[in-house]
Amino acid sequence: MGIFDKIKGQTSDKTTEVSQVSPEFKSIIIDTNNVLKEIKNVATANRLNSSDLAFKLLKIITYYSDEKSENHEMTQEEMSLLLDDSFLLNPNLKITQTYRVEIYKIGQEETPMAHLPEITLSGNKNLTKIIATVAQSHDVTYSSDLEQRMIDDIQIKKIKTGILVGIRDHNMYQEVKKLVAMIHVNGFLDKNHSFIVCAGVDEIAPINDNLVFHYKKKMNAKSSDGKVDYSKRGFILAVEKDECILEYIKPQAGTPGRNCRGVFIAVPEPRVSHTEVITTTEHITKKESETSIKYIANRGGYVNIDKGTYDIQEHMEINEISFKSTGSIDASLDSNIKINIKETDILKDAIGAGMSVETAEVHVQGNVGSGARVKAKVVEIGGQTHQSSYIEADKIKVTVHHGEANGQDVEIERLEGGKVIADTVYVKHMTGGEIIAKVIKIDNLMSNAKITASEKIEIAEFKGSNNKLIIDPSVTKEFNEMIASINKKIEVLEEELKAFPRQLTSKKEFIDKNKPMAEMVKEKIMELKRNNVEPPITLFAKVKDFQEKVMDYNAFLQIFKDKKEELREYKEELNGVQNKVFLAKIINHSTWKEFNEVRFKLIYPPRDMTYNPKENEIIREISLKDMGTGEYRIIRASEYSRS
């Protein structure tokens, strides 16, 4: 708070030489507007050091001057004007004070004073608030005049530092009263206490006008590790519907203040530096308030500026996406932005090496380079993808695919060594590579492919060898997660159940061993009651202890049964998932080639059933059947089923 850090009341006006103390000096009463100066003058006149003298405040007279009055002495009633902010904020107002003080030599007090806690004053930057800090003290002594003496001490410190006295200081009296009451009860102060002893009027700084480009704040945003990805240079600045893209902050006048020394604190006029007119299309709505004008996007898209007019557009055509030209593009899936990349040269990449693109739709007429990543709702690629590229979208369409594609519906002209993970996949020509999906359809299957489906694999023309066709109900993400969760629960339950038989046996043996004794004690209690004799408490305690052991055994047995039932239900649930394998099928509309493998995967317990078709074998459908006795059989049908 540091304009004056800790004011303890000592004056710096010490004379450099210690002269002989005048024993005849008596206290004197002076009216002055500069107490410290008068103390120095009195000390000099009486051959004393200023530090030898102190003063008591006897009276305060407050004056004000404004357009109507000059040094008007304020009455007690008029002092209430100083509580009115509007009165204080008159720039022509001047406030001064004179003080009637008694200057005396330290040590000449009529009666010794009880110990006061140390009080220091501090203020904020502009001295609109003065804070008193009363230090922790175990030596402070309560007396009937302690409250007034603490008030006097604060007032003296105010005068020494030029702070007006008796103005806007009501809080000081309340806080001192609380502290004195605390000292009266406890006999000490257990910690430091701070409170406001004077409060002026804080100034409010003006607000300069400003034009805030909210949509540009996404440029060079830092990643989670605090680094900036300079490949994302904000070529496309995407916004969502109802997002504020621009905001003009109107200039707003500030409010002056007045500090606790009575000094008026002026504030400058707000600066106006943005006078240009902002024009927009119908895709941007203007909303004005007293403090600002906001420009709101009516639809998702990207901000485009054409001849000074702001617009929200959805379609963009560019030649390429590369580090040199555009950098990576991050426009979010909900932005509605559709990007058409026109580069068709087979020797160039339409999406360059290492670039990433995220937006609603991406239509690429050419190739996707190494390490490139594309994420959208819809992706169409007219050229080929590099083997290290990655495509993720709900709907994907690729001409020649070498990389990895992850989506819901995927259509590929030629799959050559690439990987596809989806719900449904349609491939016209497949040579090598891997497909994982629920439903897969391939027009022409060559060699070295791995095809895994949870529901159906359909092949129009089988032309090659060394292919693996796998039916695995757990291959999709949701089934994988569900199966992993069920297996985990089964594993935990089976581990828990291992300890139950041993503990149940131990509890049962204890009950069987102590049952005759318990029956005998119960009979003894009944006999005593029949003879009108009160049975000893120890007999009741023995019966109660045995009954508690029986109840504990029964509860433990019930937990065991519940857990076994829970385990059975989990295994049934797992079997239910596994049963999907019996509904799945592999369909081949042509003759089979040898050196290919068909496999059905059972989940619990894990087991594979395989079949290797023969050359030119005609099998239209292959499925797996549960024979009902723990035996499973691969069924080969030469005709199509109705389903």
Side-chain angles (χ1 to χ4, degrees), residues 213-218 236-246 283-284 295-304 310-314 330-337 358-360:
F213 297 86
H214 290 292
Y215 70 96
K216 291 184 179 181
K217 293 179 181 179
K218 302 174 185 178
I236 292 180
L237 297 171
V239 295
E240 297 178 6
K241 186 176 183 296
D242 299 325
E243 183 178 337
C244 178
I245 61 170
L246 288 172
H283 299 134
I284 297 173
Y295 297 86
I296 312 294
N298 283 340
R299 63 178 184 179
Y302 68 95
V303 179
N304 183 65
Y310 289 86
D311 188 21
I312 306 298
Q313 295 188 1
E314 295 179 337
D330 183 1
S332 88
L333 301 182
D334 298 323
S335 63
N336 293 335
I337 299 174
E358 181 173 340
T359 187

Side-chain angles (χ1 to χ4, degrees), residues 367-427:
N367 303 328
V368 177
S370 64
R373 301 178 67 85
V374 180
K375 185 176 182 181
K377 293 179 179 177
V378 177
V379 174
E380 291 186 357
I381 298 171
Q384 62 181 346
T385 61
H386 190 274
Q387 63 183 13
S388 62
S389 65
Y390 177 79
I391 313 296
E392 182 180 344
D394 295 342
K395 186 175 181 60
I396 300 173
K397 189 173 183 179
V398 183
T399 300
V400 182
H401 185 53
H402 300 288
E404 181 176 341
N406 195 321
Q408 293 181 6
D409 299 313
V410 179
E411 182 178 336
I412 296 174
E413 288 275 342
R414 297 181 63 85
L415 178 57
E416 299 178 352
K419 183 176 182 179
V420 179
I421 302 172
D423 288 343
T424 61
V425 178
Y426 170 55
V427 178

Side-chain angles (χ1 to χ4, degrees), residues 217-476:
K217 293 179 181 179
K218 302 174 185 178
M219 293 174 60
N220 287 343
K222 291 183 179 179
S223 60
S224 58
D225 60 2
K227 296 180 180 179
V228 174
D229 184 355
Y230 291 101
S231 70
K232 297 181 179 180
R233 298 195 297 275
F235 180 76
I236 292 180
L237 297 171
V239 295
E240 297 178 6
K241 186 176 183 296
D242 299 325
E243 183 178 337
C244 178
I245 61 170
L246 288 172
E247 183 177 10
Y248 174 67
I249 308 298
K250 294 180 179 179
Q252 298 170 50
T255 304
R258 191 175 292 272
N259 69 19
C260 293
R261 285 177 170 163
V263 177
F264 182 77
I265 305 172
V267 294
E269 291 295 318
R271 185 177 64 252
V272 178
S273 54
H274 298 275
T275 56
E276 65 273 20
V277 177
I278 297 174
T279 57
T280 63
T281 67
E282 69 278 6
H283 299 134
I284 297 173
T285 299
K286 178 180 174 181
K287 292 185 177 180
E288 186 168 0
S289 67
E290 292 183 1
T291 58
S292 70
I293 302 174
K294 293 182 178 180
Y295 297 86
I296 312 294
N298 283 340
R299 63 178 184 179
Y302 68 95
V303 179
N304 183 65
I305 307 171
D306 184 15
K307 297 178 181 178
T309 298
Y310 289 86
D311 188 21
I312 306 298
Q313 295 188 1
E314 295 179 337
H315 298 270
M316 171 175 281
E317 288 197 354
I318 53 178
N319 280 335
E320 65 176 7
I321 292 177
S322 65
F323 189 88
K324 183 179 180 181
S325 60
T326 63
S328 294
I329 293 176
D330 183 1
S332 88
L333 301 182
D334 298 323
S335 63
N336 293 335
I337 299 174
K338 303 172 181 64
I339 302 176
N340 183 25
I341 306 167
K342 299 185 292 184
E343 179 61 71
T344 58
D345 190 333
I346 60 172
L347 300 178
K348 295 181 179 179
D349 291 331
I351 299 180
M355 292 293 98
S356 65
V357 182
E358 181 173 340
T359 187
E361 293 187 20
V362 178
H363 302 271
V364 185
Q365 296 182 23
N367 303 328
V368 177
S370 64
R373 301 178 67 85
V374 180
K375 185 176 182 181
K377 293 179 179 177
V378 177
V379 174
E380 291 186 357
I381 298 171
Q384 62 181 346
T385 61
H386 190 274
Q387 63 183 13
S388 62
S389 65
Y390 177 79
I391 313 296
E392 182 180 344
D394 295 342
K395 186 175 181 60
I396 300 173
K397 189 173 183 179
V398 183
T399 300
V400 182
H401 185 53
H402 300 288
E404 181 176 341
N406 195 321
Q408 293 181 6
D409 299 313
V410 179
E411 182 178 336
I412 296 174
E413 288 275 342
R414 297 181 63 85
L415 178 57
E416 299 178 352
K419 183 176 182 179
V420 179
I421 302 172
D423 288 343
T424 61
V425 178
Y426 170 55
V427 178
K428 290 186 178 180
H429 189 94
M430 182 175 183
T431 303
E434 181 179 7
I435 301 175
I436 300 172
K438 292 180 181 178
V439 177
I440 301 168
K441 183 176 181 181
I442 302 169
D443 285 350
N444 294 282
L445 178 60
M446 304 307 288
S447 301
N448 304 314
K450 183 178 180 181
I451 304 162
T452 307
S454 61
E455 297 177 12
K456 183 170 73 171
I457 299 172
E458 184 175 359
I459 299 167
E461 191 71 28
F462 213 123
K463 295 183 177 181
S465 60
N466 197 32
N467 297 295
K468 296 183 185 297
L469 282 66
I470 304 168
I471 294 295
D472 183 356
S474 69
V475 75
T476 55

